[in-house]
Amino acid sequence: MRILLTLFCFFCATHSIAQGIKGSWFGSADVLLGGSHNNYLVELDLKQNNNEVKGIISYYFRDSYQSFYVKGTYNQRTREVLIKDVPITYFRASASNGVECIMDLRAILTASRVSTSIKGVFTTQGKYKYTCPDIAFDFVYGEALNTDSLIDKFAAIKKIWRPSEEDVVVNDQKIYVPDSIDLKVKEPSAEKMEAQKILEEFTKRKEVVGREIWVHSDSLRLTFYDNGIVDGDSISVFFNKEPVATHQSLSERGIVFYTVLDTTKAYNEISMFAENLGSIAPNTALMVLTDGVNRHEIFLSSSLTQNSTIRIRRKR
């Protein structure tokens, strides 16, 4: 019986390791500096293809939130993970958009009968080594958690998508926003005048409704990434046909903001307005929507003649 139990435990541990690095990982990261008690709450969502990994790393630090698309390697023999050039907010920065340290994530996957985890450090690159201390972390595999993640499993894995011809017609022609831009003022600022101009152009374009999504909550978090190659796409985001964010450049860094549904409406709408087409037309984006329960990955495509819209309905 003892031998059978030992073999069973060995099989479970081996099977856990065999899963590779794919999946969701959660935990905290702590600055390795005497007397420092600064920590980051981190989520790492990864997909694996042989020795290559890619996905999204997201973290909270103090009252700030950051999200980035990352790529790296995983050595299946040594179970070592390496993800280079991760921007980490400097632990002494006074603002969320302040100084960032460019660091490399180095870790090892470990597995036991109790849990599977990745342990390691964000290591400081050469030119930052006298400023940015290393940051140690211990991330637990998502399915092993007994409590909800504080980051709500929202992050999307990057995908490359191309719209079909019927999806879009092309002509030759920071980031938290709590409320819609108020255009009804007697003396509008330059920003509001620009928003008014975009609104007028928005109403002239054809609205293409791509999907209808049911959500559990009346508040949503939206994260926009460039889809595929970062080519200079710039967008405005509309909520119920009102601009809530303008002049947003799409990249591997997530553009994040929150919105509250209007419960008096049968449905709410989120629209993407293309301010340009980048170097590769049309203007495409990956939008990640989370309601605190479910995460939705939605591909959007806009041109200079049409807006891309999704409709949101709340489950009762």
Side-chain angles (χ1 to χ4, degrees):
M1 180 64 70
R2 183 179 299 173
I3 294 175
L4 291 175
L5 182 59
T6 301
L7 289 175
F8 176 75
C9 294
F10 175 78
F11 172 78
C12 290
T14 303
H15 177 71
S16 182
I17 292 175
Q19 75 173 359
I21 200 68
K22 176 184 176 180
S24 298
W25 307 85
F26 307 84
S28 61
D30 300 287
V31 176
L32 294 178
L33 187 65
S36 175
H37 300 284
N38 296 277
N39 60 72
Y40 304 72
L41 179 66
V42 184
E43 176 175 349
L44 183 62
D45 270 69
L46 293 176
K47 281 188 176 178
Q48 176 185 347
N49 182 14
N50 296 322
N51 288 340
E52 296 182 352
V53 294
K54 59 183 177 180
I56 299 290
I57 186 169
S58 308
Y59 62 86
Y60 280 106
F61 180 65
R62 296 178 182 167
D63 61 348
S64 68
Y65 166 81
Q66 299 284 349
S67 177
F68 300 92
Y69 173 58
V70 294
K71 294 187 291 185
T73 59
Y74 173 64
N75 187 316
Q76 300 184 64
R77 181 179 61 83
T78 62
R79 304 196 299 277
E80 294 177 303
V81 187
L82 172 62
I83 298 176
K84 298 182 68 66
D85 301 327
V86 181
I88 302 294
T89 301
Y90 179 49
F91 77 102
R92 285 178 175 158
S94 59
S96 60
N97 60 351
V99 178
E100 290 179 337
C101 300
I102 307 302
M103 312 186 82
D104 298 336
L105 181 155
R106 301 176 184 272
I108 294 179
L109 172 67
T110 61
S112 69
R113 289 177 293 174
V114 179
S115 66
T116 303
S117 63
I118 50 177
K119 299 181 180 180
V121 293
F122 290 100
T123 59
T124 306
Q125 295 184 353
K127 63 180 180 179
Y128 299 96
K129 64 182 180 180
Y130 297 113
T131 304
C132 302
D134 290 350
I135 302 173
F137 62 82
D138 185 353
F139 300 155
V140 179
Y141 185 59
E143 292 183 1
L145 293 179
N146 295 321
T147 58
D148 293 336
S149 163
L150 294 181
I151 308 183
D152 293 330
K153 294 186 177 181
F154 70 93
I157 301 306
K158 187 88 166 186
K159 297 178 182 176
I160 295 181
W161 164 79
R162 295 290 181 268
S164 60
E165 291 184 1
E166 58 269 22
D167 285 332
V168 67
V169 178
V170 181
N171 280 356
D172 293 329
Q173 297 245 357
K174 277 183 162 191
I175 314 303
Y176 171 76
V177 184
D179 300 298
S180 298
I181 298 172
D182 185 6
L183 303 177
K184 300 175 182 179
V185 293
K186 294 181 179 180
E187 297 181 0
S189 64
E191 177 186 0
K192 291 174 182 176
M193 291 177 66
E194 179 65 20
Q196 180 67 55
K197 181 180 178 181
I198 291 174
L199 175 60
E200 292 173 357
E201 182 62 29
F202 173 85
T203 58
K204 296 177 183 178
R205 298 184 185 182
K206 179 182 178 182
E207 180 182 54
V208 178
V209 179
R211 288 180 59 181
E212 184 170 282
I213 296 174
W214 290 84
V215 298
H216 290 80
S217 175
D218 63 355
S219 59
L220 307 175
R221 176 166 55 201
L222 308 175
T223 308
F224 290 82
Y225 303 89
D226 199 338
N227 176 70
I229 299 172
V230 177
D231 63 336
D233 287 339
S234 180
I235 66 169
S236 292
V237 179
F238 283 70
F239 180 68
N240 291 333
K241 297 182 170 53
E242 293 291 338
V244 294
T246 61
H247 303 316
Q248 303 301 312
S249 298
L250 294 174
S251 69
E252 69 281 350
R253 180 193 291 262
I255 300 172
V256 183
F257 62 95
Y258 301 79
T259 190
V260 177
L261 299 181
D262 183 345
T263 56
T264 66
K265 296 179 179 293
Y267 57 81
N268 288 249
E269 291 184 337
I270 298 169
S271 303
M272 185 179 83
F273 170 90
E275 295 183 1
N276 63 16
L277 299 179
S279 60
I280 305 174
N283 190 319
T284 58
L286 169 62
M287 182 180 75
V288 182
L289 180 154
T290 179
D291 62 359
V293 178
N294 294 315
R295 186 192 77 221
H296 303 271
E297 299 178 13
I298 304 144
F299 295 102
L300 303 173
S301 173
S302 298
S303 73
L304 300 183
T305 60
Q306 68 181 48
N307 306 307
S308 183
T309 297
I310 65 167
R311 287 179 177 167
I312 308 295
R313 295 181 185 270
R314 186 184 177 191
K315 294 181 180 180
R316 300 295 181 181

